Amino acid sequence: MHLEKTRRRGSELEDAILDAAWQVLIELGYAGFTYEAIAARAGTSRPVLYRRWPQRDDLLLATLTRFWWSKPVELPDTGSLRDDVIGFLRNANSARAHILTMISVQLMDYFRASGTNFSELRDKLRVQNRPNSLETMLTRAVERGELPDRPRPDRVVSLPFDLLRHEMLMTMRPVPDDVITGIVDEVWLPLLNS
Amino acid sequence: MHLEKTRRRGSELEDAILDAAWQVLIELGYAGFTYEAIAARAGTSRPVLYRRWPQRDDLLLATLTRFWWSKPVELPDTGSLRDDVIGFLRNANSARAHILTMISVQLMDYFRASGTNFSELRDKLRVQNRPNSLETMLTRAVERGELPDRPRPDRVVSLPFDLLRHEMLMTMRPVPDDVITGIVDEVWLPLLNS
DNA sequence: GCCTTAAGATACGGAGCTGTATCTAACGTT
DNA sequence: AACGTTAGATACAGCTCCGTATCTTAAGGC
């Protein structure tokens, strides 16, 4: 009898709880992010959660911290600027869509209360010394002779990612592929070549 | 005795309720947007609200509809495309900033709960047959011979407004003027002339 | 001045979440 | 094998909001 453990302890239990909290947050949003729902999903009881995270903010912060960088966006290197940026935007779309939606839903109250905003949070969370992906792509394209070597405003460089993020925020869904190609082919590449 | 009315009726009452609903939404967000809070703020009782708006969505939509277009964005006509669009973005910035911030802060929960999103809400609230302002500006510029008469993708036409909105969402503050001129001079005008 | 309408007060049961307390039994340690 | 720790179950009072029902009485039309 009892070949399998019936009770988890320590970090095993804690991991299971944070996994459950993450799922609840994704599925139900902040409104459904209750001790009750999370305990039920984790197969435990509320007192277990209260012992570890007395405030809901503690639990939310622990959950976000754990999953924030779980899916880094990959930067492709195809030998073509267009394929690079489209691939990059696709990766960002699939990897970041959930998290961005989450942030927009969950952290607005925090922003309002603290007086900070989205931009500042991004700056805080940005990995140190991480080269800007779009900048990297442009540098490569210039080296290949695909583009003239001329200075470009930050606003121009970051344009495709800003437009992707705008679309994500507006629809709160994964962005269709034709939006991505539209951003690149109708806006960014013509602008770079102007 | 009783020189003043003690009971409001019809549209007078309805206006007072929607005013109260708007205040509650601004101050407490969607989470606090309850029949209870709104009735209390309006100095009436919940049944009065239920008689008019059986669902909370009805009440929310009525409230948003009432205040969405309370400050229409003016479209300047200066004889120059650049001055037109910069003036327009400035007007939008001052007229829309607080309402857009409100929406982004307060309604994310609603969007998640209802499965709708910001784009769909905009479509619902958009005034019928209202000519697109940027489209109008471009048409004027073409008529003046400022721009060649050639078809332009919707994404290109709406670009400056999308970037302004993106900036508003990211910072949740009125946008500095150099951002507006940057959007126009570094991105839109070069793209239109490419 | 009468009469219909509807505002506003109050009450009700129900649902869901909160935060805490209590008890048991499974777990890891020694 | 004994022991201290703590997971997990359960219970509790309290709170807010829900949706509806009932009753009164003020307002406005005729």
Side-chain angles (χ1 to χ4, degrees):
Chain A
M1 310 302 110
H2 285 295
L3 292 183
E4 48 187 343
K5 294 193 293 184
T6 61
R7 284 189 186 181
R8 300 152 297 184
R9 291 196 158 221
S11 62
E12 182 193 355
L13 175 62
E14 201 155 312
D15 288 352
I17 293 173
L18 291 181
D19 283 347
W22 179 253
Q23 287 176 30
V24 169
L25 198 51
I26 293 267
E27 285 178 30
L28 305 178
Y30 187 68
F33 191 76
T34 62
Y35 283 90
E36 193 127 332
I38 296 163
R41 172 90 49 144
T44 183
S45 58
R46 284 182 294 125
V48 176
L49 305 198
Y50 277 106
R51 283 170 197 144
R52 288 180 161 71
W53 304 279
Q55 312 287 338
R56 191 195 312 196
D57 279 7
D58 302 334
L59 181 50
L60 177 64
L61 190 61
T63 305
L64 285 178
T65 302
R66 183 174 165 76
F67 290 93
W68 192 266
W69 293 111
S70 59
K71 279 189 177 182
V73 179
E74 283 181 34
L75 170 59
D77 189 359
T78 64
S80 145
L81 176 60
R82 179 177 186 276
D83 293 342
D84 275 5
V85 67
I86 287 182
F88 175 69
L89 293 183
R90 280 181 184 146
N91 291 344
N93 187 31
S94 56
R96 280 274 172 269
H98 271 107
I99 294 185
L100 190 71
T101 305
M102 281 268 309
I103 293 172
S104 57
V105 174
Q106 316 312 343
L107 297 188
M108 285 299 179
D109 277 338
Y110 164 70
F111 289 149
R112 188 173 51 141
S114 65
T116 65
N117 58 42
F118 211 144
S119 291
E120 289 171 12
L121 180 67
R122 255 197 320 153
D123 292 343
K124 269 186 215 159
L125 288 169
R126 178 163 290 145
V127 173
Q128 300 289 334
N129 296 328
R130 196 162 187 266
N132 180 298
S133 296
L134 290 167
E135 196 97 52
T136 305
M137 280 178 225
L138 281 181
T139 304
R140 283 199 207 127
V142 168
E143 284 167 0
R144 284 193 304 264
E146 229 182 302
L147 283 177
D149 188 4
R150 97 164 78 118
R152 302 170 197 284
D154 287 348
R155 194 183 313 285
V156 171
V157 174
S158 64
L159 187 63
F161 206 80
D162 289 344
L163 288 178
L164 178 69
R165 191 186 301 113
H166 175 257
E167 186 75 19
M168 286 181 181
L169 285 169
M170 294 296 288
T171 64
M172 305 205 303
R173 298 195 175 93
V175 176
D177 207 64
D178 64 297
V179 172
I180 289 177
T181 56
I183 288 171
V184 173
D185 292 332
E186 293 175 0
V187 179
W188 203 46
L189 294 183
L191 179 60
L192 289 176
N193 289 309
S194 71
Chain B
M1 309 301 110
H2 287 296
L3 291 184
E4 48 187 344
K5 295 192 293 185
T6 61
R7 283 188 188 181
R8 299 151 298 182
R9 291 196 157 221
S11 61
E12 182 194 355
L13 176 62
E14 200 156 314
D15 288 352
I17 293 173
L18 291 181
D19 283 347
W22 179 251
Q23 288 176 30
V24 168
L25 190 56
I26 295 250
E27 285 178 29
L28 305 178
Y30 184 68
F33 191 75
T34 62
Y35 283 90
E36 197 126 334
I38 296 163
R41 172 90 50 144
T44 182
S45 58
R46 283 182 293 127
V48 176
L49 305 197
Y50 277 105
R51 283 171 198 143
R52 289 180 162 71
W53 305 279
Q55 313 285 342
R56 181 152 66 147
D57 279 11
D58 303 333
L59 180 51
L60 179 64
L61 193 61
T63 305
L64 290 178
T65 302
R66 182 175 168 75
F67 290 92
W68 187 261
W69 296 110
S70 60
K71 281 189 179 181
V73 179
E74 282 180 36
L75 170 59
D77 188 359
T78 65
S80 146
L81 177 59
R82 179 177 186 277
D83 292 342
D84 275 5
V85 66
I86 287 182
F88 175 70
L89 292 183
R90 281 180 184 148
N91 291 344
N93 188 33
S94 55
R96 282 272 174 275
H98 82 279
I99 195 172
L100 190 72
T101 302
M102 196 284 291
I103 298 274
S104 60
V105 172
Q106 313 296 11
L107 291 189
M108 286 297 179
D109 277 342
Y110 163 69
F111 290 146
R112 178 178 287 281
S114 65
T116 65
N117 58 42
F118 195 82
S119 290
E120 288 172 14
L121 179 66
R122 257 196 318 155
D123 291 343
K124 262 189 220 163
L125 293 173
R126 175 163 291 145
V127 172
Q128 300 289 333
N129 295 328
R130 196 161 188 274
N132 181 298
S133 296
L134 290 168
E135 198 96 51
T136 304
M137 278 179 230
L138 281 182
T139 304
R140 282 199 208 129
V142 167
E143 283 167 0
R144 284 192 303 264
E146 229 182 302
L147 282 177
D149 187 5
R150 93 164 79 118
R152 305 172 196 281
D154 287 347
R155 193 182 314 286
V156 171
V157 174
S158 65
L159 188 61
F161 206 81
D162 289 345
L163 287 179
L164 178 69
R165 192 186 301 114
H166 175 258
E167 187 74 20
M168 286 181 182
L169 285 170
M170 293 297 288
T171 64
M172 306 203 300
R173 297 196 176 92
V175 176
D177 206 64
D178 64 297
V179 172
I180 290 178
T181 56
I183 289 171
V184 174
D185 292 330
E186 293 175 0
V187 179
W188 202 46
L189 295 183
L191 178 60
L192 288 176
N193 289 309
S194 72

